[in-house]
Amino acid sequence: MNLDERLLKPYNPATTEDRIYREWLAKRAFEPQGEGEAFSMVMPPPNVTGVLHLGHAAMIAIEDIMVRYARMQGKRTLWLPGTDHAAIATQTKVEEMIYKAEGKTRHDLGREEFLKRVTAFATESHDKIVEQIKKLGASTDWTREAYTLDERRARAVREAFVRMYEAGLIYRGERIVNWDPRLQTTVSDDELEMKEVTEPFYYLKYGPFIIGTARPETKFGDKYVVMHPADKRYANYEHGQKLEVTWLNGQITATVIKDESIDMTFGTGVMTITPAHDTTDAAIAARHGLESEQIIDLKGKLLPIAGEFAGLHIKKARGAIVEKLKTLGLVEKIEEKYVHNVPVNSRGGETIEPQILRQWFVDVNKPIAERNGASLKALMREAVASGGIKIIPEQFEKIYFHWIDNLRDWCISRQIWYGHQIPVWYRGEEIYVGVEPPSAAWQSEGWVADPDTLDTWFSSGLWTFSTLGWPEATADLKAFHPTTVLETGYDILFFWVARMILMSRLLLNQLPFKTVYLHGLVRDEKGQKMSKSKGNSVDPLAMIAKYGADALRLSLIIGTSPGSDVRISEDKIRGYKNFSNKLWNIARFILTAIEGEVPARPESLSASTTSRLAELEAVTKDITDDIEHYRFYLAGEKLYHYVWHTLADKIIEAAKAPLQVPSEAPEIRFLLYTIFDRMLRLLHPFTPFITEELWSLWPKTERELLINTPWPKI
RNA sequence: GGGCGGUUAGCUCAGUUGGUAGAGCAUUCGCUUGACGUGCGAAGGGUCAUAGGUUCAAGUCCUAUACCGCCCACCA
């Protein structure tokens, strides 16, 4: 017989993959089909700040396995793709680019022009990302693609905000928040990262006390001195007692406060507080109803209260202030090497300066009447505690609970431009909160729109249903929500997963998904995080060009387990390229052996064939079972091993002689055909391109495309 | 400070309800076998971190210790 000319040459992914992908698209194979049980999943939307890295590739590989498996099982399968505007990250990146190229800031350009530039950047970035996702073979339904900042999502965001405001779950309050003096915006608690620093620790004389501080530059306004009520050393001082003390700018009246949060063993057991610029101090002040005064402005400079130091940046002020303290004789001693943690912004690395500001918050503790009096916190906890949502691996459930138990109100307003503008308008004392502005001519009527935008995770929190058309009662929403599974990295369990649970439970009274599968981070062969600055990042597109998407996908699946980080090197990817080649050659051999036809099942089968077929059933069951239990790494490895070391090394080798014997050949042909037909189906979710290509060359009685061919029954 | 993981072959990691240790890569030896040298056959290599305990049986369960990692955290 004549082999298809494609089979005469080695498998070439470069000329095959794009063609196959176009064919799937043309046949609308990624869109939900039929009336079967629904399977739905949203793609965690990559940020439009750049291009995809191997972590994204791993994510797509895992998700595509789930989706293709579901589809082959005949489910009405939807995998909904999208991208994220990543508010702060994108804005900062574009600001930096503009500043480098033109020396201009966003304020030089103005809001409108600046947003045009960000949008242009985001669009370009989006196009590249979509191209990469396609290269990986993702069977996502592009007809439903969404963007966290597009019109429909904007509508959903405003609707969510308004409903939550009306329910009293969103409020405007003046509270201590995390302020980033460089980016000039607040950030949420979850965006903080603790960074260890070593700096001097000062013991200062404060009236009769010695107080300890690492930040003398914030101490100008300190007029409360705090100690533990049970501290015997200070038993002579009473709560509320007033004392005249000499301090930085002369005499002040200090008040003694007794508070149980004080650690008696730390320093001298006494401290003064700066409620305007320290979260701990603010909490103490709130407990006792103390006054607070701003010392540092939003640019990080000292205010007039600092006397001669006013206008000085806090970073420069410390030395001068310590000198003055020394002159005044107020320095008792200095410990030079004090190690402690300071909060920095995880996006940008600037030290956070807490400030008391008027911001918008989500109240996580308020009882909600329509949810039996449960708070958002309780709703989030209950979703997982009840077993309604299962997290894989299970250990993350504990981490999730721990996070929820420590959760405070969520600051959602940001002083940046790229994002969903807060749907609130002000006119004098009047406030209007609505999906649409207060009137068509609101500007001329004296209304002023809130200039702030929402935390990017606010819109991300709506993702499972904003992508399906909410707030409208669309057919998609009805058919596909709650989604079946959410697959994402464990690093955004709090940022994203928890917020989706919050939003969905509140706004739809539904769980957003039934299962959460958390993958690990992809690292290089030395276990380091991949990053451009380290120069160790591996470009998925380069790997696809060299070894094919199938090889890349296998390398990202095998040897990885949920929740643990993955090490990947080019060698590993190369290894799976060899597997593609092996598969290709097995196909060449078997197609030649069966002469391009579907072999008939012989009347009777030999014992060895029967046992090989039984083994095949066992393998099928095993693989199916592994996929059902999200053990993709095991399923992939077992398939690899069976195909190479059982099918190729044993069965095919043993088939060579009998194929030459006319009386034995038909049974062998039947065996080879049956096994390889099964392998193509089982392998398809893992290596979709090469299996689809081989399917097109395969004599078959069923579907034209493997992507729609039924998964073997067990 | 609190919590959660990890420690298995030279390297990267599996080991799903406890039943005489596995894979890939690497190493060594041998193969111009007509599907594939991107290959084939064979071999070496592990007191499963340490110390106890439960059990007929422990890499797998329990306790403690050491080291590594991660998350959370209001010791100023």
Side-chain angles (χ1 to χ4, degrees):
Chain A
M1 65 155 289
N2 293 324
L3 277 179
D4 186 285
E5 66 176 71
R6 277 176 277 173
L7 277 173
L8 299 176
K9 295 180 233 155
Y11 175 60
N12 185 351
T15 58
T16 308
E17 294 179 348
D18 288 350
R19 190 187 78 239
I20 298 271
Y21 199 85
R22 281 196 302 271
E23 192 177 348
W24 285 328
L25 281 177
K27 302 266 169 67
R28 304 179 65 168
F30 303 157
E31 295 165 44
Q33 287 165 10
E35 295 301 318
E37 184 191 339
F39 175 96
S40 60
M41 174 164 71
V42 290
M43 176 186 289
N47 292 354
V48 289
T49 43
V51 293
L52 296 195
H53 53 251
L54 275 186
H56 292 111
M59 168 184 102
I60 285 165
I62 295 167
E63 292 175 12
D64 202 37
I65 288 172
M66 297 189 203
V67 168
R68 286 178 187 270
Y69 171 73
R71 195 180 285 119
M72 291 175 81
Q73 283 185 313
K75 292 185 180 166
R76 189 161 32 126
T77 304
L78 172 63
W79 184 17
L80 205 150
T83 46
D84 191 325
H85 69 286
I88 291 185
T90 310
Q91 162 155 339
T92 308
K93 178 145 190 169
V94 176
E95 276 185 290
E96 278 168 10
M97 283 165 51
I98 292 174
Y99 193 78
K100 264 188 200 160
E102 304 167 38
K104 287 183 180 166
T105 69
R106 65 175 154 128
H107 299 284
D108 295 333
L109 294 173
R111 189 163 187 148
E112 200 181 329
E113 172 61 22
F114 179 72
L115 285 179
K116 262 190 211 163
R117 304 280 195 99
V118 183
T119 305
F121 171 82
T123 305
E124 192 189 323
S125 186
H126 160 270
D127 294 350
K128 280 187 206 156
I129 288 167
V130 167
E131 205 40 50
Q132 286 177 301
I133 294 173
K134 290 180 175 174
K135 284 270 181 197
L136 283 158
S139 60
T140 53
D141 183 355
W142 294 104
T143 66
R144 287 173 167 85
E145 188 191 349
Y147 182 49
T148 55
L149 196 58
D150 63 20
E151 252 322 298
R152 295 196 72 170
R153 263 43 68 177
R155 173 72 216 284
V157 164
R158 290 196 299 267
E159 183 75 28
F161 188 97
V162 171
R163 286 196 198 179
M164 290 170 78
Y165 176 79
E166 284 168 357
L169 294 168
I170 284 183
Y171 68 93
R172 197 177 189 214
E174 193 147 335
R175 294 229 336 245
I176 192 147
V177 292
N178 309 306
W179 179 258
D180 184 325
R182 195 169 66 110
L183 299 184
Q184 290 288 297
T185 181
T186 57
V187 297
S188 70
D189 293 344
D190 298 291
E191 282 162 307
L192 300 187
E193 216 166 71
M194 291 310 214
K195 194 171 132 195
E196 194 175 275
V197 295
T198 303
E199 53 186 4
F201 189 75
Y202 306 89
Y203 288 90
L204 307 175
K205 287 181 191 153
Y206 188 84
F209 306 106
I210 304 294
I211 59 152
T213 183
R215 303 198 62 193
E217 67 276 14
T218 65
K219 296 280 153 199
F220 288 98
D222 287 12
K223 55 186 178 182
Y224 299 105
V225 58
V226 192
M227 61 213 71
H228 197 283
D231 196 328
K232 292 197 178 105
R233 291 170 294 180
Y234 309 109
N236 293 337
Y237 297 95
E238 283 176 25
H239 180 79
Q241 186 177 343
K242 307 275 186 197
L243 294 167
E244 290 300 312
V245 301
T246 305
W247 195 228
L248 270 161
N249 292 335
Q251 292 291 115
I252 61 161
T253 303
T255 306
V256 173
I257 299 295
K258 302 264 181 164
D259 192 280
E260 295 192 343
S261 70
I262 300 298
D263 181 353
M264 287 189 270
T265 65
F266 185 81
T268 57
V270 185
M271 68 179 212
T272 61
I273 58 170
T274 314
H277 301 292
D278 186 287
T279 318
T280 317
D281 296 1
I284 294 171
R287 271 199 289 280
H288 301 284
L290 311 180
E291 294 166 20
S292 92
E293 188 169 5
Q294 193 180 4
I295 314 294
I296 305 164
D297 74 9
L298 296 183
K299 297 240 163 85
K301 290 180 176 163
L302 288 163
L303 288 163
I305 188 175
E308 75 257 41
F309 303 105
L312 209 56
H313 195 277
I314 44 166
K315 282 188 181 160
K316 294 179 182 149
R318 183 178 299 173
I321 291 167
V322 170
E323 281 314 306
K324 182 170 182 190
L325 283 163
K326 281 183 184 164
T327 310
L328 291 169
L330 296 176
V331 178
E332 173 74 12
K333 65 171 175 174
I334 301 174
E335 260 174 40
E336 287 299 332
K337 298 218 164 146
Y338 172 63
V339 180
H340 68 138
N341 293 323
V342 297
V344 299
N345 185 353
S346 57
R347 308 187 186 284
E350 179 70 12
T351 306
I352 293 299
E353 293 294 345
Q355 289 278 5
I356 294 177
L357 292 171
R358 192 145 73 149
Q359 298 291 327
W360 288 97
F361 296 89
V362 170
D363 189 333
V364 295
N365 291 306
K366 185 186 166 91
I368 305 160
E370 301 81 66
R371 299 286 175 272
N372 296 323
S375 63
L376 289 173
K377 219 179 197 177
L379 289 178
M380 282 191 274
R381 181 175 239 292
E382 196 262 345
V384 176
S386 69
I389 293 176
K390 207 173 146 236
I391 301 180
I392 297 169
E394 209 173 325
Q395 78 222 34
F396 281 95
E397 294 190 358
K398 288 180 201 165
I399 297 174
Y400 174 82
F401 292 138
H402 189 253
W403 175 81
I404 287 187
D405 294 340
N406 289 303
L407 186 63
R408 291 180 292 181
D409 284 0
W410 171 20
C411 177
I412 52 172
S413 45
R414 297 286 177 277
Q415 292 65 52
I416 60 167
W417 292 345
Y418 192 58
H420 293 281
Q421 202 161 345
I422 292 180
V424 178
W425 289 261
Y426 309 94
R427 182 166 65 183
E429 291 300 298
E430 273 183 276
I431 176 165
Y432 179 86
V433 178
V435 172
E436 301 300 334
S439 77
W442 58 276
Q443 276 143 318
S444 59
E445 288 170 10
W447 289 99
V448 177
D450 193 314
D452 287 358
T453 51
L454 287 163
D455 181 5
T456 188
W457 299 103
F458 190 93
S459 52
S460 309
L462 310 175
W463 195 242
T464 60
F465 50 91
S466 68
T467 52
L468 295 172
W470 187 88
E472 274 150 55
T474 59
D476 270 4
L477 191 62
K478 191 160 181 276
F480 297 114
H481 204 273
T483 61
T484 312
V485 57
L486 178 82
E487 197 284 338
T488 191
Y490 66 76
D491 53 330
I492 54 174
L493 176 62
F494 310 140
F495 283 122
W496 195 42
V497 179
R499 260 109 200 204
M500 284 194 284
I501 296 172
L502 182 160
M503 293 295 193
S504 184
R505 282 291 268 124
L506 177 70
L507 297 166
L508 276 75
N509 201 16
Q510 280 182 3
L511 297 172
F513 27 70
K514 294 161 200 149
T515 301
V516 176
Y517 178 99
L518 298 170
H519 62 247
L521 273 36
V522 176
R523 297 170 182 278
D524 71 3
E525 63 263 42
K526 291 180 194 127
Q528 294 180 305
K529 267 192 187 179
M530 290 197 181
S531 71
K532 274 189 194 159
S533 54
K534 280 189 199 135
N536 63 346
S537 66
V538 177
D539 175 13
L541 281 188
M543 293 302 105
I544 290 173
K546 269 171 111 166
Y547 307 112
D550 290 328
L552 177 63
R553 290 168 56 125
L554 269 186
S555 73
L556 289 166
I557 294 297
I558 296 177
T560 75
S561 56
S564 351
D565 294 350
V566 191
R567 291 190 188 197
I568 187 102
S569 60
E570 192 167 338
D571 278 344
K572 188 174 175 190
I573 304 168
R574 190 182 300 122
Y576 290 104
K577 169 75 199 302
N578 297 353
F579 179 71
S580 299
N581 178 66
K582 191 76 187 175
L583 201 62
W584 191 252
N585 282 299
I586 290 170
R588 279 166 64 160
F589 178 86
I590 296 181
L591 279 164
T592 308
I594 63 176
E595 296 168 348
E597 284 167 21
V598 181
R601 186 189 178 95
E603 303 259 317
S604 66
L605 297 171
S606 67
S608 81
T609 298
T610 307
S611 92
R612 283 303 184 193
L613 289 174
E615 179 186 55
L616 180 65
E617 292 310 317
V619 168
T620 303
K621 185 178 181 318
D622 209 15
I623 301 300
T624 306
D625 207 46
D626 282 337
I627 296 177
E628 288 286 343
H629 292 91
Y630 301 95
R631 297 187 295 252
F632 310 114
Y633 58 103
L634 275 185
E637 193 175 323
K638 285 172 185 168
L639 279 167
Y640 177 96
H641 204 257
Y642 177 83
V643 166
W644 202 310
H645 300 299
T646 301
L647 176 57
D649 292 348
K650 304 222 166 65
I651 299 174
I652 288 183
E653 287 307 319
K656 286 177 179 172
L659 277 173
Q660 306 304 319
V661 182
S663 62
E664 294 177 30
E667 178 174 335
I668 296 298
R669 289 195 192 110
F670 169 73
L671 178 67
L672 293 176
Y673 177 86
T674 306
I675 293 176
F676 199 68
D677 184 272
R678 181 71 57 86
M679 283 308 117
L680 286 177
R681 297 175 199 226
L682 297 183
L683 277 167
H684 182 254
F686 298 85
T687 54
F689 289 114
I690 190 171
T691 50
E692 189 70 82
E693 177 74 344
L694 288 172
W695 190 255
S696 74
L697 303 166
W698 192 242
K700 55 197 169 277
T701 51
E702 281 186 84
R703 309 289 176 87
E704 183 192 352
L705 285 179
L706 181 57
I707 190 172
N708 291 321
T709 298
W711 187 261
K713 296 234 176 359
I714 48 168

